[in-house]
Structures are given as structure tokens and as C-alpha cells.
Amino acid sequence: MKIIRQVRQQIEAQKMAGDEIARGNMEGHQIIAAEIMDQTEVLEKTTDQVLESIIGSVIMAADQISDSIDMLGNRLCIELTEIKWQLTQRDKKLDEILEVLNESRHNEARQLVQQGLRHYLNEEFEEAEERFKLALTFDTTDYQVLMNLAFIEIHKGNPSQAFIYFRKALSLPLNLDSVSKARTLWATARLHYTQMNFAEAYTYAIEAFKHDNKDDPRVLYDLGVYAALAGRKSVALEKIARAIEGDVAYFGKCSVDPDLKSVKTDIQLLLSRLSIDAEFRARQMVKQVDGELACLENEEQLKNRGSFIEEARKIIQNAIAGLQRPSYSFCRRCADVMVKIKELLSQYKGLVPLYMQLEKCQRECERNSNVCASMPEPAEKSREVHKAVYALMISISYIVPGALLVSADTTVEGMSWGMSLALWPLWIALDFIWPHNGMTAEAGLTGLLIVGIMWGALSLIKRARSNKYDRMSRALSIVRQQFYRSERTMMRVRHDINSIHSAIGEQMAEVRL
């Protein structure tokens, strides 16, 4: 509740600062004032949420309160070192956070620590100190006990003894993790701060920064404040600028932080520069994205291809409207959204060659389909000569030589011409055996030659028909292969198009302005 009262005071201070800046003539003052007012409104809502959590159930909502206090701490111009330490100790994941608090602790010592912690959290500091000192007799290097004793000495008004306990907490425990080192160093820096020893506070803050997350905006801001108090203006401005880049909540916080009073003018100039840069970048990005979107809107291949272009156009219109009287947060968010839209436009532009390829494949499929439909299916039987033709050829082959013999008057006297037709091979054979029997083989041989020519012609016809079948089959096979190849390519292109549309749709669902 003390923290909430502090927040209420800070809200009023931020409102006054916003009004003062809005009435000024500093470059970018409207953006700065709008940002402070927006953050003040957020801070009010956050405070109400925390208050509801506390009123609900302090014990049941301990984790929620811890998170809420931590969130408020990022926006509050007071140090919450001890409060965060107390909440950490109450956290159910204490064994994970404090690696030095392990099962090797003696059972009796563990009970003493738990008793001391309950007294400590209920602000019964004398009873808590007694329990912790008893626990210290079991392990003089217990990090948690040493830290708690240091904070008790602070409540007792003994900073020198608190420094001793902090040094022991930092040096005595074995294999102390970086998180614990940073926590102790920040607490030591804060204690030097309360003693108005800002140079030492900055020295310990630098050491804490080495062990902490160097990209954490809260860590950067705290180091910037200590640097400002120690007269390190350039370091202070650089760290605070980085903190604001990481979390815009520090934009409003630094404008009213009393610890930054010595560099107030420089802070205002920093906020002015950040605001102008953010607005310039936002307007430039909107202009670029608007031009790229206009080019895509004129692409014939992309017309009526989904709602992405319409959604992107609506976001750009919202950006243009918001940039009429923007805040720093809006300029930052607008620039980030435009970067994302630009990336999506680049992906969407990749659909143009895919749609062109799809149309080409569709035309090829249609053409090959028509060719396949117009080509007759080659019949397997067309490759063979009909059996009746073979029977006729055999009959003709036997009759022709005999007919030539009969026509040459070489038959035996008294033999009918039918008998001559049937027995002509015998007469030719006898003529070769007895050449002077009155018969001649010339006519029969002539007939055989004619028969050979007939069979040769038949073979040529058969081969020609077979070749025609093979050519037709190959031509039809080639056309079908082209059709299937175009069809597979078309399916692949459609899959690629659908994948890009799906990916863009998922990413667009997260883009809001």
C-alpha cells in the first residue's frame, strides 16, 4: 500500500510534467507530452489492477502480487530492492532462484531460517535477527541468512553493519551464481545511495551490471540513474536511452525521476531527439511501405488474390491517421509494424512469378489434354495382319506356280489341269531328276519367285503397320508425359502459393496498429 501511494504521487507528477511539456516550445514536445500522458494512463490502470489483487487475497495471490509489484517497479521512481528480495523469498520457486539454498542445510538450521523469515516478513525484526543468527551458527556462509541480516541492520539504522553482511554474502558462499551476485551488489549500491555516497553507489552498480542481464531495460535504467548521481552524464544518457529503446515505459519515468534532476535538461533533450527520430523513422517507413503496396496493387497477377493487400492498406491508413498527433510509443510501434508489413510485402511479391507459372502450367495442361483427346488410341490388333489374309496368301502361293505350269502346257498327257495344280511340286522335282520327261521347271520356278515377291510385299506391309503403331504410341506417350509433368508442376506451384498465403495470414494476425 505504501508503494501504491508512491505510485499515486508519481502519476500526479507525470501529469504535471506532461502538461508542462505540452505548453513548451521544445522540438517534438507534442510527441513527448502525448507519450507521458499515455504512460500515465497505463500506470493508473496497472495500479488499480495491483490494488484489486491485494484486496482479493494477499496469501493466495502472492505470486500475482510479486509479478505486479515487479511490473510497477519498472515504472516507479523508487528502488524496490528489499521488497523484491522479500517477495523472492516467499516465492514457491525459492530453491531454483537461490542455488545456495540446497538440501545440505541442516534440518534445524532450515527451520530457524523459515522461522526467521516469517518474523522478518511480519516486520518483527528483533525476533527475525535472533533466528537468523542462530541459523548462522550452523553455516556462517549461508547467502540467504546473510542477506536477511543485512536488511535487518538497515531497518535498525546500522548501515556499516549492513555493509559487512553484504560483503560476506558476496564473498563467503561457495559457487555463488551471477543472479545472486548482482542482487547483492545492487543492494549495496542502493545502501550507498541512501548514505548520499553516489560515487561508491555508481561503482557497485557497475559491478552489478557486469553480473546482470546487460540487455535488461531495468538494469540499464538503474545504472543510468546511478551514473547521473555520480556526475557521469554521458554514461547516464547512453544507458537511459538504451533502457527506453528496450522498454518505452522508461520514457515517462525518466521525465519525472527526482534522481535525474541534475540532468533534467539533458534528459528532455534526449527525449526530444528520440521523439523526432522515432517520428521521422515512422513516417519514412510508412512512405516506403505505401509506395511498395501501390506497386503491388497494380499487379494484374495479384488482383482478387486474397485480403492481404486490403488489410495492409487499412493498417497504412491507420498509421497515417495516428501520425497526425503521435506519441513516442505510437511512432515506435508504427515503425515496427511497417517493417513487418514490408517483409510481408516482399513475401507477397514472390507470388507474382508463381501465379505466372501457374497460368503457364494451366495452359500447357489444357493444350496437352486437348491433344490427347484428339489423338486416336492405337489398337494393338492393327499391328498384325488378319488370319484370313494369311490363309489367302498361302492358297495363292500354292496355286500360282501350278497355274504357271498348266499355262506352259507342261502337264502330263491325260492329267487334268486340277491334278496338275495339286501335284505341281512333284512334276518340278521329276523334271530335275529326268530332264527329258517333257516337263520344265521354269514355269514353276517363276511361280515360286512371284510367291516370294508376294510374301515380301506382305512382310513390308506388316512392318509398316507395326512402325505406324509404334510411332503413334510414342507420340501419345510423349503428350501424356508432358501433361502429367505440367500437372505435377501446377500442383507444386499451387502448394507453394497456398503456403505463402498461409504464412502471411498467420503473421498478419499478429500485426495490429
Side-chain angles (χ1 to χ4, degrees):
M1 297 306 294
K2 292 179 181 178
I3 292 174
I4 290 176
R5 284 196 292 272
Q6 291 280 349
V7 174
R8 301 291 188 196
Q9 295 175 8
Q10 182 167 322
I11 289 172
E12 294 302 320
Q14 288 188 190
K15 288 181 178 179
M16 293 174 61
D19 292 337
E20 181 182 350
I21 292 174
R23 291 192 298 268
N25 56 3
M26 180 188 302
E27 191 174 7
H29 68 279
Q30 292 182 343
I31 300 175
I32 300 174
E35 180 62 29
I36 293 175
M37 292 303 182
D38 288 348
Q39 292 194 13
T40 302
E41 183 179 350
V42 172
L43 186 57
E44 285 184 302
K45 292 180 179 179
T46 304
T47 305
D48 293 338
Q49 293 172 0
V50 174
L51 189 58
E52 290 177 4
S53 299
I54 295 174
I55 292 174
S57 174
V58 173
I59 296 177
M60 295 300 293
D63 292 337
Q64 183 179 356
I65 293 172
S66 177
D67 294 339
S68 300
I69 291 294
D70 196 46
M71 181 170 58
L72 271 180
N74 288 341
R75 299 172 178 271
L76 194 56
C77 294
I78 60 172
E79 177 60 45
L80 303 177
T81 300
E82 184 188 359
I83 294 172
K84 291 175 182 176
W85 169 251
Q86 293 182 26
L87 292 170
T88 299
Q89 293 185 91
R90 297 193 65 164
D91 197 305
K92 60 184 178 182
K93 297 181 180 179
L94 178 62
D95 290 340
E96 299 177 12
I97 297 175
L98 301 176
E99 295 180 2
V100 295
L101 184 60
N102 52 41
E103 290 301 321
S104 62
R105 178 184 284 161
H106 191 276
N107 182 59
E108 184 176 353
R110 186 185 303 111
Q111 292 180 5
L112 288 169
V113 171
Q114 292 174 353
Q115 294 169 13
L117 182 58
R118 286 195 292 271
H119 286 299
Y120 178 68
L121 295 174
N122 286 295
E123 298 185 2
E124 298 171 352
F125 299 117
E126 292 183 2
E127 292 85 348
E129 183 180 17
E130 178 190 358
R131 298 288 94 186
F132 287 136
K133 285 186 175 180
L134 284 174
L136 204 61
T137 61
F138 291 93
D139 184 1
T140 57
T141 66
D142 192 308
Y143 174 78
Q144 185 190 17
V145 173
L146 291 169
M147 288 290 288
N148 287 333
L149 286 171
F151 282 119
I152 288 174
E153 293 299 335
I154 291 174
H155 283 287
K156 291 168 62 178
N158 298 326
S160 59
Q161 188 62 36
F163 281 127
I164 293 174
Y165 280 124
F166 279 141
R167 282 195 294 272
K168 288 183 177 181
L170 193 63
S171 60
L172 293 180
L174 186 64
N175 298 325
L176 192 62
D177 61 282
S178 295
V179 174
S180 299
K181 287 180 181 179
R183 182 184 294 115
T184 306
L185 288 166
W186 283 120
T188 306
R190 184 64 182 176
L191 185 54
H192 278 294
Y193 164 86
T194 61
Q195 300 298 303
M196 308 295 288
N197 191 352
F198 299 131
E200 284 296 315
Y202 175 68
T203 301
Y204 277 95
I206 285 288
E207 289 300 314
F209 182 76
K210 293 178 182 178
H211 295 284
D212 218 329
N213 181 4
K214 297 178 178 59
D215 295 322
D216 187 346
R218 179 173 58 190
V219 173
L220 289 165
Y221 183 82
D222 289 344
L223 180 58
V225 170
Y226 285 121
L229 292 170
R232 307 294 184 90
K233 184 172 68 173
S234 59
V235 176
L237 295 176
E238 186 262 332
K239 300 302 181 186
I240 291 173
R242 286 181 58 191
I244 294 172
E245 290 175 2
D247 185 354
V248 295
Y250 292 100
F251 190 98
K253 179 177 178 177
C254 71
S255 66
V256 295
D257 196 332
D259 288 332
L260 297 176
K261 186 179 295 185
S262 61
V263 291
K264 182 178 180 180
T265 302
D266 298 289
I267 289 293
Q268 289 181 345
L269 292 174
L270 171 65
L271 298 182
S272 174
R273 176 176 61 81
L274 292 176
S275 300
I276 293 170
D277 291 346
E279 183 185 20
F280 177 78
R281 181 169 180 264
R283 293 188 183 278
Q284 286 294 104
M285 290 302 302
V286 170
K287 184 178 179 180
Q288 291 180 19
V289 174
D290 186 44
E292 292 186 15
L293 184 61
C295 293
L296 288 182
E297 287 174 331
N298 295 326
E299 281 285 351
E300 290 294 332
Q301 299 291 338
L302 297 178
K303 290 184 177 179
N304 302 319
R305 299 291 191 179
S307 59
F308 168 71
I309 290 181
E310 289 78 6
E311 292 178 6
R313 174 56 64 191
K314 187 180 296 183
I315 291 175
I316 291 176
Q317 291 173 350
N318 292 339
I320 293 173
L323 287 173
Q324 299 301 317
R325 295 182 63 84
S327 64
Y328 174 73
S329 295
F330 181 84
C331 292
R332 285 266 304 267
R333 189 167 64 254
C334 179
D336 293 340
V337 168
M338 290 301 110
V339 169
K340 188 65 176 178
I341 294 294
K342 190 174 182 179
E343 293 175 357
L344 295 179
L345 287 176
S346 179
Q347 296 181 37
Y348 199 73
K349 192 182 299 181
L351 290 171
V352 174
L354 288 177
Y355 276 119
M356 294 176 65
Q357 187 178 3
L358 179 63
E359 291 181 359
K360 180 181 177 182
C361 291
Q362 288 174 338
R363 289 194 300 268
E364 290 180 355
C365 283
E366 185 177 357
R367 183 177 63 254
N368 291 330
S369 178
N370 294 334
V371 172
C372 288
S374 63
M375 293 180 66
E377 189 75 23
E380 183 69 26
K381 292 182 179 180
S382 65
R383 300 178 61 183
E384 303 293 337
V385 178
H386 199 276
K387 292 180 179 180
V389 175
Y390 273 107
L392 181 61
M393 284 293 297
I394 292 172
S395 301
I396 294 174
S397 299
Y398 193 84
I399 293 172
V400 167
L404 289 176
L405 286 171
V406 172
S407 64
D409 294 331
T410 58
T411 57
V412 178
E413 185 178 354
M415 184 180 291
S416 65
W417 65 272
M419 185 66 70
S420 297
L421 288 177
L423 299 176
W424 67 265
L426 178 61
W427 310 140
I428 294 176
L430 289 174
D431 186 61
F432 278 105
I433 297 172
W434 295 289
H436 302 288
N437 61 1
M439 295 185 292
T440 181
E442 286 80 356
L445 293 175
T446 302
L448 290 175
L449 180 60
I450 294 173
V451 169
I453 293 172
M454 291 172 58
W455 280 103
L458 182 63
S459 297
L460 290 174
I461 293 172
K462 179 182 176 181
R463 183 177 297 177
R465 296 184 69 180
S466 179
N467 290 340
K468 180 180 179 181
Y469 171 84
D470 292 340
R471 287 195 301 272
M472 291 177 64
S473 297
R474 284 196 297 270
L476 185 60
S477 176
I478 291 172
V479 173
R480 283 177 174 171
Q481 288 177 3
Q482 291 175 347
F483 173 78
Y484 293 138
R485 190 182 301 114
S486 300
E487 194 174 47
R488 286 194 298 270
T489 304
M490 185 170 62
M491 292 175 63
R492 178 180 57 79
V493 172
R494 279 178 175 167
H495 177 268
D496 293 343
I497 290 173
N498 292 335
S499 298
I500 292 177
H501 275 297
S502 178
I504 290 176
E506 291 177 0
Q507 295 178 68
M508 277 297 291
E510 302 174 359
V511 178
R512 292 290 180 269
L513 187 62

